[in-house]
Amino acid sequence: MKLRSLRKQPGWYEIQSVCPICGHEGWCAINHEQTIVRCMRVPSDDYIDTTMGRQYKHYLDPDALPKTNVEIMYDESIDKKSNSHLNAVYRTMIEEMSLSSDHLYHLRNIRQFSDKEIQLRQYRTMPSTNRHKIAKAVINRVSDQNDLLGVPGFFAKEGTYSSYWTMAGAAGLMIPFRSITNEITGWQIRVDDPPLELVMEGAIKGEIMKELEPNQFGMRRARCKLYVQGKELEVILTEKDKKECYSKSKQFVFSVVLKQGLRYWWWSSGSKKNGSSIGNPLPYHLALPTPCLPYWNIGEMPTDIIDCSEVWITEGPIKADKGAEALLKPFIGLPGIGTYSLILDVLKELGCKHIVIAFDADIVTTPQVQQTLGLCAEFFAKNTDMSLSLAMWDITLGKGIDDLVDNGYLPQLTAMIE
């Protein structure tokens, strides 16, 4: 298990490998004794609200955990700078970056953005090579190379003769996060080649050791280490080929499947030399319709150019951009559906009176999402006098709000709090 110490939370570690609760990599945390997991994705009745969003506590049996090697990386990151500083550096960086033809095709033909929208929303491509040249160009345009200190995504890499500034993260489409004053405060990368991960159920634990060459059908493969009933097994698994085990009495014992991992990752450099983490607090993304963008000046609230008495909330920046464009409403893209506590003060500053939750359509069939929605409604009921509605639609019309509007439909609203 790979862990990274959390400097501001002594005794706690960010899980860099697979979380034992949600099965995903990154973002969740575990205590030193490995008895409590603070999961960001799977709800529980015991939770805390932090600058990373709501963290749900899950209690583990330490005797039931597999005996794996624990690799701890110690947090030597630089504290993240102010939003105004991040914005200045990121907007300089935008002018030194471009959008690849593949990503332009994706935005135009898959996401159905117009060229004007793509231009105004300032999507960019994180290249796989020559990132140090971009960092150097940014340094040449800002006042000092130390301006990159405390800016998530940038870090100092050791060279043959000295260290030099470069950029972290996987290659992919970069999507900016904007504050309510139009400051770019962070980025997510839609990675071109998402990592693999193990999805396990039942009496099994495991980890991916190494990705192998795809098979003759182009399916990804990996060498994995599995822990079953006290035994350690080394196997090669193929993507989407689910393995299941049943007892002689036909009782389910375990299942394991190799799947493509998360597509969207924060652009961050907290584990690198002179790098910085994206958290404390995590960014949110305020999306406005394209006609508003030319008039939304940096440092100014959007309330003079659009009515913010009703604000829609979804998960992710792309869905927020698509929703704002189609419905002509301000949208907030959360970094995760459980991070709604991050935007309480934001909604108050906008003068919001009516919140519309527009999570994916599978909310009615996924128990974990249903539970999160209930906790979200409870949170706003306790902390505001805002009314709350749920945007709903049949999943056959589209999974997310972005799919729905691309298919030419609008959601129906159901009151949750009046």
Side-chain angles (χ1 to χ4, degrees):
M1 179 182 291
K2 293 183 179 180
L3 306 176
R4 183 169 69 91
S5 65
L6 296 175
R7 181 157 44 94
K8 295 185 178 181
Q9 299 180 47
W12 286 87
Y13 303 86
E14 181 184 358
I15 303 171
Q16 300 286 293
S17 51
V18 174
C19 169
I21 303 301
C22 67
H24 292 292
E25 295 184 13
W27 210 9
C28 303
I30 191 169
N31 66 342
H32 178 74
E33 294 77 17
Q34 297 188 38
T35 56
I36 304 173
V37 170
R38 291 179 181 170
C39 183
M40 298 294 294
R41 302 176 181 90
V42 178
S44 71
D45 293 332
D46 192 359
Y47 54 82
I48 58 172
D49 289 319
T50 71
T51 55
M52 296 288 286
R54 180 160 287 186
Q55 298 181 332
Y56 301 99
K57 292 184 180 180
H58 297 265
Y59 297 86
L60 306 176
D61 179 359
D63 296 329
L65 291 174
K67 301 300 186 288
T68 60
N69 293 327
V70 175
E71 179 184 344
I72 297 179
M73 299 174 287
Y74 289 94
D75 188 355
E76 299 178 356
S77 62
I78 306 298
D79 287 345
K80 185 169 68 172
K81 292 287 183 66
S82 67
N83 284 352
S84 60
H85 184 95
L86 300 182
N87 178 72
V89 173
Y90 287 149
R91 288 188 180 274
T92 301
M93 179 189 76
I94 284 174
E95 297 182 22
E96 299 297 335
M97 300 182 77
S98 60
L99 191 63
S100 72
S101 57
D102 286 344
H103 292 155
L104 179 59
Y105 178 89
H106 174 81
L107 292 169
R108 277 177 177 168
N109 299 87
I110 307 301
R111 295 293 184 171
Q112 300 182 33
F113 283 111
S114 70
D115 286 354
K116 183 177 182 180
E117 292 171 63
I118 295 170
Q119 177 190 6
L120 289 174
R121 297 194 186 281
Q122 298 179 300
Y123 304 114
R124 290 296 186 268
T125 291
M126 173 58 68
S128 57
T129 60
N130 294 324
R131 299 180 183 183
H132 65 286
K133 294 182 179 179
I134 298 174
K136 184 177 180 180
V138 172
I139 290 171
N140 289 337
R141 297 185 58 179
V142 296
S143 59
D144 188 273
Q145 68 173 358
N146 289 330
D147 284 344
L148 299 190
L149 285 170
V151 180
F154 290 97
F155 73 100
K157 186 174 183 179
E158 291 297 332
T160 304
Y161 303 104
S162 61
S163 62
Y164 59 93
W165 283 100
T166 187
M167 304 157 77
L173 173 65
M174 297 189 70
I175 308 160
F177 275 60
R178 299 175 189 273
S179 72
I180 55 174
T181 53
N182 199 16
E183 292 175 317
I184 297 177
T185 59
W187 300 77
Q188 278 189 350
I189 299 179
R190 184 186 185 276
V191 298
D192 294 334
D193 297 306
L196 292 171
E197 63 180 36
L198 290 174
V199 179
M200 297 168 284
E201 296 180 3
I204 184 173
K205 299 291 181 181
E207 58 185 332
I208 297 173
M209 300 173 63
K210 181 182 180 181
E211 182 168 357
L212 307 175
E213 290 293 322
N215 65 13
Q216 66 269 33
F217 305 107
M219 304 300 289
R220 298 169 73 181
R221 303 183 306 144
R223 187 181 303 278
C224 306
K225 189 175 289 186
L226 304 179
Y227 305 88
V228 182
Q229 298 178 344
K231 296 181 179 180
E232 181 180 307
L233 307 174
E234 192 171 305
V235 299
I236 295 176
L237 297 178
T238 302
E239 183 184 10
K240 298 182 180 180
D241 183 13
K242 189 174 185 178
K243 305 296 183 183
E244 296 181 317
C245 177
Y246 292 85
S247 66
K248 292 181 179 180
S249 60
K250 297 184 178 180
Q251 294 293 315
F252 173 79
V253 180
F254 71 81
S255 69
V256 58
V257 63
L258 187 69
K259 288 188 176 182
Q260 177 180 283
L262 297 176
R263 171 72 77 171
Y264 291 88
W265 291 81
W266 284 113
W267 188 46
S268 184
S269 53
S271 61
K272 309 287 188 179
K273 178 183 177 182
N274 285 342
S276 182
S277 171
I278 193 66
N280 297 316
L282 281 176
Y284 60 88
H285 173 58
L286 178 61
L288 301 184
T290 296
C292 297
L293 296 180
Y295 305 99
W296 190 19
N297 297 320
I298 299 170
E300 295 183 1
M301 296 283 288
T303 48
D304 289 338
I305 56 176
I306 189 171
D307 180 9
C308 294
S309 61
E310 180 178 286
V311 178
W312 288 55
I313 298 173
T314 189
E315 182 184 16
I318 287 284
K319 290 177 182 177
D321 287 347
K322 291 294 297 186
E325 196 64 37
L327 299 175
L328 300 178
K329 297 283 187 180
F331 262 72
I332 291 181
L334 296 175
I337 61 174
T339 60
Y340 44 82
S341 61
L342 293 175
I343 61 169
L344 176 61
D345 291 337
V346 171
L347 292 169
K348 291 179 179 179
E349 288 185 64
L350 289 172
C352 177
K353 303 299 182 185
H354 180 208
I355 305 167
V356 180
I357 304 294
F359 293 159
D360 287 357
D362 61 358
I363 190 171
V364 296
T365 59
T366 307
Q368 291 179 1
V369 181
Q370 281 184 317
Q371 186 178 0
T372 300
L373 178 63
L375 292 169
C376 175
E378 177 186 342
F379 174 81
F380 285 114
K382 286 182 178 179
N383 293 285
T384 76
D385 57 0
M386 302 173 194
S387 60
L388 183 68
S389 296
L390 177 64
M392 301 182 69
W393 59 91
D394 192 299
I395 197 169
T396 60
L397 303 179
K399 184 174 183 288
I401 187 71
D402 52 339
D403 304 315
L404 182 73
V405 297
D406 281 347
N407 291 330
Y409 298 99
L410 297 177
Q412 294 182 332
L413 302 189
T414 300
M416 298 179 67
I417 301 173
E418 295 181 305

